[in-house]
Amino acid sequence: MRILLWVAAGLAVMAAVSGCGTPQASGPAAGAASPAAGAVTASASAAATKDSTADSTADLLARVRAAMDAEAGWTFTVTGEESLKQSGAPKEQGSAASYSATVDRTGSPEALHQSGTVLSKGRRTPEELFAVDGTGYVREGAPGTPWTEGPLTDPGIAAKVEDPLTALDSFGDYAGRGERIEVTRTGDEIRLRVRIPSGYLADRTERPAIAKAAREFRPTLDKLRKVGVTAGEKRIVLTGYEETLVLDARTHRMASYRSSFGFAVPHEGRQLRYEQRLGADTRSVFTGRIEAPDAASS
């Protein structure tokens, strides 16, 4: 998921109101399952079934990759939401933003073009991005706004790229590293799902799915650090993680992808709560060509 720029402004508000509202416990959210116990149970289950399921899941994902690679390109719709709020504080003192875009992606040559809108505080900001030959070109604003250009290895550029096919890489990593993947077949659908009810940010060293959530959360956590939030990773609670990949059972093409997770960060006796949701749907085959924008080099 992208880094939405509303976060930076929202953190200042969070810091300013940290003395307001009802005090909250700095540990796991009330009613949450024990993260340590959940992690041990999930790990044990994954270890017990790894040999019997990892190969079949990897084979399934290989068929999906082959089915998607069989076409020159694909068009997706992508939506995302982020929120940051303090427990006990008035709703208007939190921050929230959403993103929606159409994404065209080709495989050979590998390139991507996305055009969308960020909605924050009632204001819509157009955003367009090209990823071609290892370089990203980003324009935040209406046509005529200057392009920002940089390598795709630049975290600021990479965070804005929404490539739904990376979900196949994530699930492949989970299968190879023993993360428990539920596979269900219903009618014309095959559904792969990873669910983690609770945990800690520190669990990212053992759980690849939590490591992915940690990478998505890192830019926000870095900004929280700058305004005085010092909680260590063993005190930052994962309040839930779910990732679902839906396939067409007949063609093995990717139909849709959904992910959601949250973290609770203790700060001065209260909690800052971050949540993120992302969705992608496969719309159609794309047969066009994607090239760097002319205006970026002029």
Side-chain angles (χ1 to χ4, degrees):
M1 175 86 179
R2 64 193 33 261
I3 306 168
L4 296 181
L5 299 183
W6 59 271
V7 172
L11 295 181
V13 175
M14 294 293 98
V17 302
S18 62
C20 302
T22 304
Q24 302 290 321
S26 59
S34 169
V40 171
T41 301
S43 296
S45 175
T49 60
K50 179 178 179 180
D51 291 340
S52 61
T53 62
D55 289 344
S56 60
T57 302
D59 289 343
L60 175 60
L61 290 168
R63 290 196 292 272
V64 178
R65 176 65 73 178
M68 300 304 285
D69 288 347
E71 300 291 347
W74 295 92
T75 296
F76 304 89
T77 56
V78 175
T79 58
E81 299 176 357
E82 286 184 309
S83 65
L84 180 67
K85 61 184 179 180
Q86 179 179 265
S87 298
K91 182 178 180 180
E92 60 271 16
Q93 291 180 336
S95 293
S98 62
Y99 175 75
S100 60
T102 297
V103 177
D104 297 321
R105 186 194 189 281
T106 59
S108 182
E110 188 168 309
L112 180 144
H113 172 229
Q114 64 193 52
S115 180
T117 304
V118 176
L119 173 61
S120 178
K121 297 183 179 179
R123 181 178 178 180
R124 295 182 181 274
T125 303
E127 183 181 279
E128 189 171 11
L129 179 145
F130 289 85
V132 180
D133 293 333
T135 300
Y137 307 84
V138 181
R139 179 170 65 189
E140 298 173 316
T145 303
W147 291 85
T148 298
E149 178 180 342
L152 292 175
T153 53
D154 182 323
I157 298 290
K160 294 181 180 297
V161 177
E162 303 292 353
D163 183 358
L165 289 185
T166 59
L168 303 182
D169 298 327
S170 295
F171 274 84
D173 183 42
Y174 302 157
R177 296 178 59 191
E179 191 72 79
R180 184 172 184 270
I181 301 175
E182 302 171 18
V183 181
T184 58
R185 298 170 185 259
T186 305
D188 295 331
E189 289 186 351
I190 301 174
R191 188 176 297 262
L192 287 74
R193 181 164 58 182
V194 172
R195 291 189 293 183
I196 302 174
S198 57
Y200 291 102
L201 182 59
D203 295 338
R204 64 186 177 84
T205 59
E206 303 295 334
R207 306 290 300 274
I210 297 180
K212 181 177 179 179
R215 288 192 297 271
E216 299 282 355
F217 179 52
R218 177 58 58 183
T220 298
L221 181 59
D222 288 344
K223 291 182 173 63
L224 285 170
R225 299 294 193 210
K226 291 180 179 179
V227 295
V229 177
T230 60
E233 292 191 0
K234 291 183 179 180
R235 297 180 61 216
I236 297 176
V237 177
L238 176 76
T239 56
Y241 184 93
E242 184 165 332
E243 203 172 354
T244 304
L245 180 63
V246 178
L247 315 173
D248 184 304
R250 182 178 61 86
T251 64
H252 289 105
R253 291 176 174 177
M254 172 180 167
S256 66
Y257 169 78
R258 298 289 185 272
S259 71
S260 63
F261 69 87
F263 283 102
V265 184
H267 180 57
E268 297 184 355
R270 296 163 178 83
Q271 286 186 344
L272 302 177
R273 291 183 171 268
Y274 173 83
E275 294 183 350
Q276 182 192 110
R277 292 179 176 82
L278 179 67
D281 295 282
T282 306
R283 289 308 183 198
S284 62
V285 171
F286 176 74
T287 58
R289 182 176 177 82
I290 300 173
E291 299 178 332
D294 293 337
S297 58
S298 62

